[in-house]
Amino acid sequence: MKDPHWASYTKHCSPCVSNFTYIVHLEDREEEELVLAMTGLQEVVGGVRTMNPTTGGDSEQRLEEFIGLLGCHQVRGLENRYWADLELFQYDMDNMKKWANRGKGCS
C-alpha cells in the first residue's frame, strides 16, 4: 500500500508477534495518564501529544455517525480489509452493520 494512512495497524506494528507484558486499550487522556503513572512509564512515553483529538461526542457516537455514511458493501469491505485491527481494538461489527446505510443496517 502506497499511503501508510490506509495501512492496517497490524501491518505497521505486528502486535501479535511480539511478547508484550500488557496491551491496554485507553479511551481518553485521563486513563492514559493514570496507567502511565501507575506503571512508571511516563518517563518513557511522556510528552506525547494528541494529534487528532475527537470533538463533538464520544468515540462510539462519532463512529456511528461516520459508519452511517457508508453503504453495506463498503462496510463489508472495511471488515474484510481491516478484520485484524477490528478484532484487536474490539470493534463490534454487528453494531457497525446496524449503523450502516444511514441507520437502515445491513443483513
Side-chain angles (χ1 to χ4, degrees), residues 24-42 45 50 58-59 90:
V24 296
H25 178 97
L26 305 172
E27 285 292 332
D28 58 44
R29 179 62 99 189
E30 290 79 23
E31 284 181 318
E32 179 181 327
E33 290 173 0
L34 177 64
V35 169
L36 293 177
M38 291 174 66
T39 60
L41 291 173
Q42 70 270 31
V45 295
T50 303
D58 65 29
S59 296
Q90 301 173 345

Side-chain angles (χ1 to χ4, degrees), residues 15-16 24 26 36 44 48 58 60 65-67 73-74 77 80 93:
C16 297
V24 296
L26 305 172
L36 293 177
V44 178
V48 175
D58 65 29
E60 187 165 338
E65 177 184 333
F66 289 125
I67 294 297
H73 181 73
Q74 292 167 312
N80 290 336
M93 279 309 300

Side-chain angles (χ1 to χ4, degrees), residues 65-78:
E65 177 184 333
F66 289 125
I67 294 297
L69 298 173
L70 303 177
C72 296
H73 181 73
Q74 292 167 312
V75 171
R76 284 189 207 96
L78 284 174

